[in-house]
Amino acid sequence: MRILNHRQRLPEIILQLAGTAAICAIALVIMGRTLLMAWAGDAVIHLRIAELLAGGHGFQFNLGEPVVATTSLLWTFILAGFFSVLSPAGVAHAVKILNVVLWMSTVFVTAIAWAQLSKSRWVGWVSAAILALNPGVFQNSLNGMEAILLALLQITLFFIVFGQAPPTSNKRLPLLLVMATLTALTRPEGILFCFLLAGFLAWQKRSLPAESIAILAGAVLGTAVMAGINLQVSGQLTPDSGVARMAAGLRESILLGPVHIHPRSIVRLAAYLPLTIGLLFAAFAATGRTPLPAGSPALKGALRFSVLVVAAMLFFYTFIFGATHTIRYWIPFFPGLPLYLGMVTLVAVLANRNGLERRWQRLGMDYSEDVRV
């Protein structure tokens, strides 16, 4: 079966929608009562800045004191748009509704992307379930913050690049440019994501060189817009909130000579088991000692890029930025880790089938000869 082929495009989309809707409904029933109405502290800061921005006061938190206390310009502008047409109470409801819509859309695109790559809708549904039913992911998606918007933009870019046939023309360039710009404007992590994606595509030669350039150009454009606004408001290129967060992260870090290690980024990984185990196995496999099983280049590239993104984010937050918010920006790539784990484990088992067979026979166990690579 080929997901989203021309003959079965609409029925397949409807089937995927139904499956992801059921998964989201289960997640809402299990976790919605306690987590759906929770607000992150930073979400309230966003609301305050957006309210003053919509009122014509510019970027401020305390009235009369210009400050860019946000690292998400796109989310702030969206909230300001809500404040321009709704009451504060209405904005609160609108933000939660938007969070839910973005979350469900991310789950759906995740299902479509992995189904398309694996040629199995079941893999897509399992990936969507891994994403939707994780309590940490659920909370960070619906807490009034921009993390789930970044997740949707990233997984959509991911799908455009890996889930479609390799391009033969430059028709996708405007779309990639716009998507990369929006991703960069949503979070600084989006800038890192775009640079990683462009570099990975150039290294793997997965797409046309112009597509990597378009993604880089979008990231640079988004960065330039953010830097320009920061410079105009506060006289510095980086947002005040980013500087404050880095300083707080450094204070909480463990210093080992010139290197600082923020322990919380590592501790929080425990909340995302078995996804962390998938990362460890995938990192081991990425050394080349454990090959991936036979599969399309797109699938292998997608899995490896998922590992690259999560590993880069972990390194960034542990050794460079030192921030406490390590998990919420990895949201769309969690499914790739256990999938990678499963495929690597399968290869390891099959590659050592003879040795395992002898060991199992000594234990009185039968090894199935039906297993094939």
Side-chain angles (χ1 to χ4, degrees), residues 13-293:
I13 290 178
I14 294 174
L15 191 59
Q16 288 287 357
L17 278 172
T20 52
I23 292 170
C24 290
I26 293 172
L28 287 169
V29 169
I30 295 174
M31 298 175 287
R33 180 175 298 181
T34 56
L35 298 178
L36 182 57
M37 298 313 297
W39 288 83
D42 286 353
V44 180
I45 297 175
H46 281 299
L47 290 171
R48 172 64 175 171
I49 296 170
E51 185 178 16
L52 293 178
L53 183 62
H57 300 288
F59 283 91
Q60 299 181 16
F61 183 78
N62 297 318
L63 193 61
E65 299 179 5
V67 62
V68 186
T70 174
T71 50
S72 179
L73 286 180
L74 181 58
W75 187 250
T76 304
F77 287 137
I78 291 174
L79 297 183
F82 285 157
F83 274 110
S84 66
V85 296
L86 297 171
S87 66
V91 171
H93 287 95
V95 170
K96 282 297 180 178
I97 292 172
L98 178 60
N99 273 162
V100 172
V101 171
L102 292 172
W103 171 69
M104 294 184 68
S105 300
T106 303
V107 174
F108 173 68
V109 177
T110 299
I112 288 290
W114 289 110
Q116 176 79 350
L117 286 164
S118 65
K119 307 299 185 292
S120 169
R121 70 171 65 96
W122 290 101
V123 172
W125 285 336
V126 169
S127 302
I130 291 171
L131 181 68
L133 297 175
N134 185 289
V137 171
F138 185 89
Q139 181 179 0
N140 282 316
S141 299
L142 305 177
N143 61 0
M145 294 287 287
E146 76 283 356
I148 193 60
L149 173 61
L150 178 67
L152 179 59
L153 290 170
Q154 288 178 333
I155 195 63
T156 302
L157 255 177
F158 176 85
F159 176 55
I160 292 172
V161 170
F162 293 104
Q164 308 295 318
T168 57
S169 67
N170 292 326
K171 292 181 179 179
R172 300 192 312 197
L173 293 184
L175 177 60
L176 292 174
L177 176 66
V178 171
M179 291 293 297
T181 303
L182 294 176
T183 302
L185 286 172
T186 302
R187 285 289 314 173
E189 290 79 8
I191 301 171
L192 176 60
F193 169 84
C194 290
F195 274 88
L196 288 172
L197 180 60
F200 185 85
L201 292 177
W203 174 57
Q204 292 281 297
K205 299 180 180 179
R206 165 67 189 169
S207 63
L208 299 175
E211 295 202 336
S212 295
I213 295 173
I215 295 172
L216 281 177
V220 171
L221 177 59
T223 304
V225 171
M226 286 198 299
I229 292 177
N230 289 324
L231 191 62
Q232 181 181 14
V233 175
S234 63
Q236 58 187 23
L237 294 175
T238 56
D240 306 272
S241 58
V243 175
R245 181 171 293 176
M246 176 175 285
L250 290 175
R251 286 196 301 269
E252 298 170 358
S253 297
I254 299 171
L255 295 179
L256 298 176
V259 179
H260 74 269
I261 301 175
H262 199 294
R264 189 176 299 184
S265 64
I266 299 174
V267 172
R268 285 191 175 185
L269 287 175
Y272 290 83
L273 294 173
L275 305 181
T276 304
I277 299 175
L279 174 61
L280 296 176
F281 270 80
F284 172 76
T287 64
R289 297 180 62 184
T290 306
L292 281 171

